[in-house]
Amino acid sequence: MTPTDPLTDVRTPPRRHTVLISGAGIAGPALAFWLNRYGYAVTVVEKARALRSGGYPVDVRGTALEVVRRMGILPRLRDTHVDLRRLTFVDADGGEVASADPHAVAGSVPGRDLEVRRGDLTEALYRAVRDDVEFLFDDSVDTLDQSHHGVDVTFRGGGRRTFDMVFGADGLHSRTRESLFGPEEQFHRYLGYCFAGFTMPNTFGLSHEIMMWNTPGRAAALYAVGDSDEVHAFLNFAHPEPPTSFGAFRQPGAQRDLVAATFADGGWEVPGMLAAMRDADDLFIDVVSQIRMPRWSSGRVALVGDAAYAPSFLTGQGSSLALVGAYMLAASLADRDHAAGFAAYEDSTRAFVTLNQDQIGEGEATLFPTTARGLERRNDMLRRLAGSSTPPATEGRPAHSALTLPVR
């Protein structure tokens, strides 16, 4: 029943619960969309001054496709689909090993699964919710103070507000997670690789394709999205331990030096890639890792997406897990208080997350073998794929489709 204001005898609508989401990447706007649908007053805070445009391509598969369909943004994403047509592997000297159908290698379904630039996905999510949700750009959460009545938030820009709930959608190196649960190291599962990604001029004549060079424990790739005059460049290498365990490796100079030293004797296009890396203004270097947590919430604060369960880019499921996790979290809160809702979120979603994270183990990346024997086996597999007219059969339900969304 709608309450009545005793001073005016006018019926007043019930107060909308207020929530804050930290992060306007993929998980944040997706969660904002669904929470707004369920009647919450949503604010999203993002440390960047604006949405990040461009970016490397990401996959949207399986259950995540149903999420974006229900959001009404599937047609827009299909319009921005990356039409990757060829995946070519070359050996240490640059000779072709195999050229295969990208769908056969990735296990994706042509005409159904999507690959889009990260910026196109974030833009579609933002457009779907920007008129109904408050966005605070160029700001971030400084402190969180929980009490029985809500979460008192201090922003780095100086503002102070109280929310009924707060959600950390702030990525692999989440500050929300650190402030709530402690240092990242205790939840960080290193997978034995490091990588560098950046853009460089497309002087190679590449179009709608990926070329990948490999030696044991090292890989270099050039990814041409469409007919662009730029390509995405990637340098990936095995490393037994996380470099300096989060210390000097986080310093740009040390990062560049480590990558350059690792690939110093590289062939093919590697010398030019190293030179471009030195001058790149969009260079991103990190370890390949996952986030594994025993619980995703504490009190009135919960985590979603990479902040809670990053699967690593080797699984190709980071964006899809963020979309599905956001949907499941909001659905769990649709008719429950925060404690029951957060419990339902974990109960309904954790098995799906774990199944997708378990697709890759430490040092087990199929496309990045660490030994000569492993590289030989991979190349044999690629040659079989290149010579086959049908994709390899898979047993059972694939991990990315192993959850059926509840209907709300």
Side-chain angles (χ1 to χ4, degrees):
M1 180 178 294
T2 302
T4 301
D5 187 327
L7 297 180
T8 62
D9 197 30
V10 174
R11 293 186 180 276
T12 58
R15 183 183 74 87
R16 297 177 73 195
H17 289 291
T18 60
V19 299
L20 175 69
I21 299 171
S22 177
I26 294 172
L31 179 60
F33 178 93
W34 293 111
L35 287 176
N36 175 70
R37 282 286 185 93
Y38 296 135
Y40 288 85
V42 184
T43 299
V44 180
V45 62
E46 166 57 48
K47 65 181 180 180
R49 294 184 178 181
L51 288 180
R52 294 179 175 89
S53 60
Y56 55 86
V58 297
D59 296 317
V60 181
R61 298 183 188 175
T63 305
L65 285 171
E66 178 61 14
V67 173
V68 297
R69 188 194 68 80
R70 294 185 186 186
M71 295 180 75
I73 63 174
L74 182 56
R76 178 180 177 86
L77 294 179
R78 291 218 179 276
D79 288 342
T80 60
H81 172 62
V82 174
D83 183 21
L84 187 63
R85 301 169 185 171
R86 184 167 56 250
L87 180 50
T88 303
F89 295 83
V90 299
D91 60 22
D93 299 321
E96 182 174 316
V97 172
S99 185
D101 181 345
H103 297 290
V105 176
S108 56
V109 179
R112 185 176 70 190
D113 293 337
L114 293 175
E115 187 172 16
V116 298
R117 290 180 186 266
R118 182 181 177 85
D120 290 332
L121 177 55
T122 56
E123 175 69 17
L125 293 168
Y126 175 68
R127 284 175 176 264
V129 76
R130 63 182 176 183
D131 294 334
D132 303 307
V133 166
E134 176 187 22
F135 279 83
L136 305 175
F137 288 99
D138 197 20
D139 206 348
S140 61
V141 174
D142 189 22
T143 63
L144 298 172
D145 185 16
Q146 298 196 61
S147 66
H148 69 279
H149 67 273
V151 186
D152 298 322
V153 178
T154 301
F155 295 93
R156 288 196 175 274
R160 297 178 64 90
R161 291 167 65 175
T162 299
F163 298 88
D164 292 303
M165 287 177 280
V166 172
F167 302 96
D170 44 350
L172 177 66
H173 305 301
S174 167
R175 290 190 70 251
T176 308
R177 184 185 61 237
E178 183 176 22
S179 67
L180 203 64
F181 295 99
E184 178 180 315
E185 288 87 334
Q186 61 185 313
F187 310 113
H188 183 274
R189 183 190 183 198
Y190 178 60
L191 296 182
Y193 297 88
C194 305
F195 74 98
F198 52 96
T199 56
M200 62 184 292
N202 183 8
T203 59
F204 315 97
L206 301 179
S207 173
H208 298 273
E209 62 185 304
I210 298 175
M211 295 196 70
M212 183 181 296
W213 168 93
N214 292 88
T215 61
R218 297 184 298 174
L222 297 170
Y223 188 159
V225 179
D227 297 312
S228 174
D229 57 2
E230 286 188 331
V231 294
H232 294 278
F234 298 95
L235 295 165
N236 185 77
F237 59 98
H239 202 279
E241 300 292 333
T244 63
S245 296
F246 300 86
F249 185 64
R250 293 283 170 83
Q251 301 173 8
Q255 292 176 337
R256 285 180 165 88
D257 290 344
L258 176 61
V259 176
T262 301
F263 287 87
D265 62 346
W268 187 54
E269 303 291 349
V270 172
M273 294 173 71
L274 292 177
M277 180 193 72
R278 288 289 186 184
D279 297 330
D281 58 8
D282 60 352
L283 176 64
F284 181 74
I285 300 178
D286 208 340
V287 296
V288 180
S289 57
Q290 296 180 338
I291 295 296
R292 301 252 186 166
M293 303 185 69
R295 57 194 176 100
W296 302 331
S297 66
S298 178
R300 293 175 174 267
V301 183
L303 304 174
V304 65
D306 280 357
Y309 35 77
S312 93
F313 80 86
L314 296 178
T315 67
Q317 277 294 94
S319 299
S320 292
L321 285 187
L323 291 165
V324 174
Y327 182 96
M328 297 300 291
L329 175 53
S332 297
L333 289 165
D335 52 9
R336 301 179 179 95
D337 64 17
H338 68 275
F342 293 165
Y345 163 50
E346 295 211 23
D347 183 64
S348 62
T349 314
R350 183 172 288 277
F352 176 70
V353 165
T354 302
L355 183 63
N356 280 275
Q357 288 185 318
D358 286 348
Q359 296 303 297
I360 183 73
E362 295 181 22
E364 295 179 359
T366 302
L367 295 183
F368 308 113
T370 58
T371 66
R373 178 57 185 151
L375 185 58
E376 182 180 344
R377 287 196 299 267
R378 189 215 62 175
N379 289 345
D380 288 342
M381 178 269 292
L382 292 172
R383 293 186 185 101
R384 289 194 299 271
L385 283 178
S388 174
S389 59
T390 59
T394 57
E395 294 184 7
R397 195 177 186 185
H400 57 64
S401 301
L403 186 149
T404 301
L405 298 178
V407 177
R408 287 286 181 180

